[in-house]
């Protein structure tokens, strides 16, 4: 199993050089990683500033930890690995010119990102035409991999997640109020959730879109509360989820809350209001597999806090591309061939997996979590 890449070496991170110098190395086009470059480069198109900047920071933590380990273990074919960052703000208007910049830089052998499916999909045709793998590791839109055979991801689909969420919610609750982000992702996710919940006998007694940057959701949440649901469901991100659960508790709702995200930000911002929140994601909390406990230990030792999901996603994504480059060679063609080889890839979040025909992971486990005593815990503890 590509032992050079999977050999984990604990070392001190020198992580101040990447994100703070976004784009400083990009676009040189001066050398080809397949023909003599001393460094293997991957491009990152992601949010450094803007509404999703916090997720970009989580990416940085995961990438930096993986970079340190990979390089300490000898890099790829004896060459160090580095990232060339560009700040897209997860905006399609910026992800497209970034894609053009990356494909023109022949030292970049694969691209990581963008954060949202919309920003990634806007740039997919540029990567596809250039034969550069676009690894959209947080892109849950099922159409992402329809962009071409060079679109790959370790993200499961919105349909998968929302069916999982609906299954969990409707086990014990049949009257639901739902609030979801006013975005393409939010509306699509809600439609998928609603269809599955209703198929399982639940009734959506209230629904409303919410703006991600609003500070006051009370007008909507009063209506959600007054519909007398068994549970309130939030479909969104950590920042808005923390405001929603905090405000709905202030309004006196004492029923079950599903939503938020498994990030340090959610716990910090929601405070005591987060207690009892259930989050349906394929996560690491409560998983006692050695690879998971080792990852947590190293991450907390470096950063002083638990990893968020996005840190784990970034960590795994870089390792998968490094493994692909080791299989097929540290070139654009080699990365593609490595991903398409049918070999298994080793990750923290899934363990070993293979890619399916949709270029997403096959048959991987999920670990829903609940907030108890101010921490994330497995909803169903392992035997």
């Amino acid at each position: 199993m590509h032992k050079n890449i999977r050999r984990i070496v604990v070392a001190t991170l020198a992580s101040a050089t990447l994100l703070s110098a976004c784009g400083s190395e990009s676009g040189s086009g001066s050398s080809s990683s397949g023909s003599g470059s001393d460094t293997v480069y991957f491009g990152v198109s992601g949010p450094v500033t803007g509404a999703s900047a916090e997720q970009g920071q989580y990416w940085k933590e995961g990438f930096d930890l993986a970079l340190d380990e990979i390089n300490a273990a000898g890099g790829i074919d004896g060459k160090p690995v580095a990232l060339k960052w560009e700040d897209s703000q997860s905006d399609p208007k910026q992800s497209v010119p970034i894609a053009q910049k990356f494909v023109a830089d022949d030292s970049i052998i694969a691209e990581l990102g963008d954060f949202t499916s919309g920003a990634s999909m806007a740039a997919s045709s540029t990567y596809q035409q250039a034969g550069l793998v676009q690894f959209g590791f947080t892109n849950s839109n099922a159409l992402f991999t329809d962009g071409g055979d060079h679109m790959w991801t370790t993200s499961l689909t919105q349909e998968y997640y929302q069916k999982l969420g609906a299954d969990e919610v409707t086990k014990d609750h049949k009257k639901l109020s739902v609030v979801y982000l006013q975005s393409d992702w939010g509306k699509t996710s809600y439609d998928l959730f609603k269809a599955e919940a209703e198929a399982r006998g639940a009734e959506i007694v209230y629904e409303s879109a919410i703006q991600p940057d609003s500070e006051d959701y009370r007008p909507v949440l009063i209506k959600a509360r007054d519909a007398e649901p068994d549970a309130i469901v939030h479909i969104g991100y950590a920042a808005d989820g923390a405001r929603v659960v905090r405000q709905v508790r202030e309004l006196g709702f004492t029923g079950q809350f599903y939503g938020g995200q498994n990030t340090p930000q959610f716990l910090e911002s929601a405070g005591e209001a987060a207690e009892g929140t259930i989050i349906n994601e394929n996560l690491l909390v409560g998983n006692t597999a050695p690879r998971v406990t080792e990852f947590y230990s190293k991450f907390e030792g470096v950063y002083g806090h638990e990893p968020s999901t996005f840190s784990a996603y970034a960590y795994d994504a870089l390792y998968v591309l490094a493994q692909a480059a080791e299989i097929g060679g540290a070139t654009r063609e080699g990365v593609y061939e490595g991903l398409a080889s049918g070999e298994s890839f080793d990750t923290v979040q899934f363990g070993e997996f293979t890619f399916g025909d949709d270029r997403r992971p096959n048959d991987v486990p999920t670990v829903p979590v609940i907030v108890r005593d101010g921490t994330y815990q497995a909803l169903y503890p392992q035997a």
Side-chain angles (χ1 to χ4, degrees):
M1 266 305 299
H2 327 304
K3 293 180 180 178
N4 184 50
I5 290 298
R6 292 311 300 160
R7 189 190 316 124
I8 305 301
V9 179
V10 179
T12 302
L13 289 185
S15 60
T17 59
L18 292 176
L19 200 56
S20 62
C22 286
S24 63
E25 295 183 26
S26 297
S28 64
S30 59
S31 63
S32 170
S33 59
S35 57
S37 173
D38 292 332
T39 302
V40 176
Y41 288 107
F42 297 103
V44 180
S45 175
V48 179
T49 61
S52 300
E54 181 150 8
Q55 282 77 16
Q57 178 61 30
Y58 294 144
W59 280 17
K60 178 186 184 297
E61 291 177 342
F63 282 145
D64 280 355
L65 184 57
L67 278 172
D68 184 74
E69 293 174 356
I70 291 168
N71 287 331
I76 298 174
D77 295 335
K79 297 179 180 179
V81 179
L83 303 180
K84 294 190 177 187
W85 278 85
E86 290 290 340
D87 180 13
S88 68
Q89 298 187 336
S90 207
D91 181 348
K93 294 179 181 178
Q94 299 191 55
S95 63
V96 173
I98 289 172
Q100 294 167 344
K101 187 172 186 178
F102 282 166
V103 300
D105 182 349
D106 61 7
S107 72
I108 292 175
I109 66 169
E111 183 267 351
L112 292 143
D114 206 288
F115 174 61
T116 65
S117 297
S120 289
M121 292 164 68
S124 290
S125 62
T126 301
Y127 292 116
Q128 180 67 24
Q129 291 169 12
L132 181 64
V133 164
Q134 181 186 30
F135 203 82
F137 61 96
T138 57
N139 296 163
S140 58
N141 189 312
L143 297 178
F144 167 67
T145 55
D146 288 350
D149 63 358
H150 280 64
M151 280 72 249
W152 296 75
T153 180
T154 40
S155 175
L156 307 179
T157 65
Q158 287 169 284
E159 181 177 15
Y160 176 90
Y161 282 123
Q162 296 310 322
K163 283 187 174 182
L164 178 70
D167 175 54
E168 187 60 51
V169 172
T170 57
K171 286 178 181 177
D172 300 306
H173 307 96
K174 298 300 183 183
K175 291 178 62 179
L176 310 175
S177 288
V178 186
V179 296
Y180 58 91
L181 286 189
Q182 182 65 62
S183 66
D184 289 341
W185 175 86
K187 182 61 165 63
T188 298
S189 295
Y190 171 65
D191 289 343
L192 291 166
F193 175 89
K194 180 179 180 180
E196 187 68 17
E198 290 181 342
R200 294 177 177 277
E203 177 187 5
I204 308 296
V205 295
Y206 178 78
E207 63 184 69
S208 179
I210 58 174
Q211 296 298 323
D213 55 355
S214 175
E215 292 296 326
D216 187 3
Y217 296 125
R218 290 176 182 84
V220 167
L221 295 177
I222 287 171
K223 295 177 182 178
R225 177 201 63 188
D226 290 350
E228 299 183 348
D230 301 326
I232 290 179
V233 178
H234 159 262
I235 299 174
Y237 298 135
D240 46 281
R243 292 192 293 272
V244 167
V245 70
R246 196 170 60 242
Q247 291 170 18
V248 80
R249 295 307 188 199
E250 290 170 358
L251 291 170
F253 179 74
T254 58
Q256 183 62 57
F257 181 80
Y258 291 80
Q261 280 186 309
N262 185 338
T263 70
Q265 178 197 27
F266 178 73
L267 288 183
E268 181 179 349
S269 299
E272 293 181 0
E275 192 70 13
T277 294
I278 294 174
I279 303 168
N280 287 286
E281 298 186 58
N282 58 302
L283 286 186
L284 315 173
V285 177
N287 189 328
T288 58
R291 68 181 185 280
V292 177
T293 56
E294 181 183 20
F295 172 71
Y296 263 69
S297 176
K298 287 186 290 188
F299 192 97
E300 291 185 75
V302 171
Y303 297 113
H305 60 80
E306 291 186 349
S308 80
T309 58
F310 298 109
S311 299
Y313 293 166
Y315 178 90
D316 279 345
L318 189 54
Y319 261 114
V320 167
L321 288 186
Q323 290 175 73
E326 237 189 19
I327 296 168
T331 64
R332 293 183 178 186
E333 297 80 6
V335 170
Y336 172 79
E337 291 172 3
L339 291 170
S341 66
E343 293 203 33
S344 63
F345 292 85
D346 194 8
T347 61
V348 169
Q349 58 181 318
F350 300 135
E352 286 198 17
F353 75 91
T354 57
F355 282 104
D357 292 339
D358 60 353
R359 296 181 298 286
R360 294 179 187 271
N362 275 319
D363 300 326
V364 293
T366 59
V367 185
V369 299
I370 186 170
V371 179
R372 289 196 180 106
D373 300 323
T375 64
Y376 296 111
Q377 300 180 25
L379 183 60
Y380 306 113
Q382 295 179 319

